Amino acid sequence: PNICQHLDQKEAEDHHNVRSVAWFAYNHLLFDASRRGLFNTTGTHSDSIGHHVTRIEATDQFQRIYETQLGKSFADLPLLCPRDEQLERLLQQSIDMERSLFPDRSAEVAARMEHQHNATFRKAAFGNRVYCWARTKIVLRQLETWDGVIDRLRHSNSTTWPLWYMEEKRKAKGRQNVPR
């Protein structure tokens, strides 16, 4: 909890090489889009991501577009997250590890540290979703242009992804059952 407490209480600093879970998700989305030919940093795009930029610069620009212009957040992406019971098990293992590292603490200090550890973990896991990963295949499914990606992101959120994805799966299944 000392590390978690430090991270929870520290003030924002101007670090240029610090990336968030969200930033890595955006980077992964750009990478997958590039692999599918939907995005490259040498072309031009109507969404204002510059051309001839590095992947890091493109991700920084995409993050500004996604969060500022579209008003979205990491939580608006389709996310793959551990089940609650998996997170609870991880929390318990983490607390058990801490107990083994500091066996000589007083009961009062141990209880206070465990409470802080628990609160910080829950904020990270359930609030900030740091153990989740963006499902980029769902975002990019059946798209042919980067503008299509931006449009899909503009009109979707954490509530609409499951509905959209299930509808797409239903349509695909129906196409498979059509006699040839």
Side-chain angles (χ1 to χ4, degrees), residues 153-179:
L153 291 171
R154 178 180 290 114
H155 298 293
S156 59
N157 59 44
S158 61
T159 306
T160 60
W161 283 115
L163 300 172
W164 176 85
Y165 182 64
M166 293 308 291
E167 179 65 16
E168 287 295 314
K169 285 182 77 170
R170 187 187 63 72
K171 286 179 184 176
K173 188 174 183 178
R175 285 191 296 269
Q176 291 172 355
N177 293 333
V178 173

Side-chain angles (χ1 to χ4, degrees), residues 102-136:
F102 304 104
D104 299 331
R105 325 182 266 210
S106 69
E108 180 184 333
V109 170
R112 190 173 66 245
M113 289 178 74
E114 186 171 318
H115 175 75
Q116 180 63 38
H117 188 126
N118 193 330
T120 304
F121 179 89
R122 290 184 184 289
K123 179 180 176 184
F126 299 106
N128 299 336
R129 299 182 165 241
V130 299
Y131 297 107
C132 298
W133 193 248
R135 299 180 70 185
T136 59

Side-chain angles (χ1 to χ4, degrees), residues 2-171:
N2 291 337
I3 292 172
C4 294
Q5 185 176 10
H6 168 74
L7 292 173
D8 200 34
Q9 293 176 352
K10 78 176 191 167
E11 301 209 10
E13 299 171 11
D14 187 19
H15 291 290
H16 295 287
N17 199 24
V18 175
R19 305 290 185 227
S20 66
V21 172
W23 187 91
F24 283 105
Y26 304 148
N27 184 272
H28 186 69
L29 177 65
L30 287 174
F31 180 76
D32 281 358
S34 177
R35 282 195 334 201
R36 293 172 184 235
L38 300 175
F39 177 86
N40 68 61
T41 56
T42 59
T44 57
H45 305 282
S46 64
D47 57 34
S48 77
I49 292 181
H51 57 290
H52 302 293
V53 295
T54 67
R55 185 170 158 188
I56 290 173
E57 292 167 332
T59 303
D60 289 342
Q61 290 176 26
F62 175 75
Q63 183 173 21
R64 280 191 295 279
I65 290 166
Y66 187 69
E67 293 177 357
T68 304
Q69 292 178 11
L70 300 182
K72 302 288 185 168
S73 73
F74 174 64
D76 290 314
L77 292 171
L79 299 176
L80 178 61
C81 301
R83 293 186 312 275
D84 288 355
E85 56 270 12
Q86 292 172 310
L87 290 170
E88 293 295 339
R89 191 169 51 245
L90 180 61
L91 171 60
Q92 190 56 53
Q93 289 172 342
S94 180
I95 289 172
D96 291 346
M97 173 65 82
E98 185 173 277
R99 285 179 187 148
S100 72
L101 292 173
F102 304 104
D104 299 331
R105 325 182 266 210
S106 69
E108 180 184 333
V109 170
R112 190 173 66 245
M113 289 178 74
E114 186 171 318
H115 175 75
Q116 180 63 38
H117 188 126
N118 193 330
T120 304
F121 179 89
R122 290 184 184 289
K123 179 180 176 184
F126 299 106
N128 299 336
R129 299 182 165 241
V130 299
Y131 297 107
C132 298
W133 193 248
R135 299 180 70 185
T136 59
K137 288 180 182 179
I138 293 174
V139 175
L140 302 174
R141 185 181 170 108
Q142 299 178 341
L143 292 177
E144 297 179 11
T145 67
W146 180 248
D147 289 338
V149 174
I150 295 296
D151 191 54
R152 179 170 288 164
L153 291 171
R154 178 180 290 114
H155 298 293
S156 59
N157 59 44
S158 61
T159 306
T160 60
W161 283 115
L163 300 172
W164 176 85
Y165 182 64
M166 293 308 291
E167 179 65 16
E168 287 295 314
K169 285 182 77 170
R170 187 187 63 72
K171 286 179 184 176

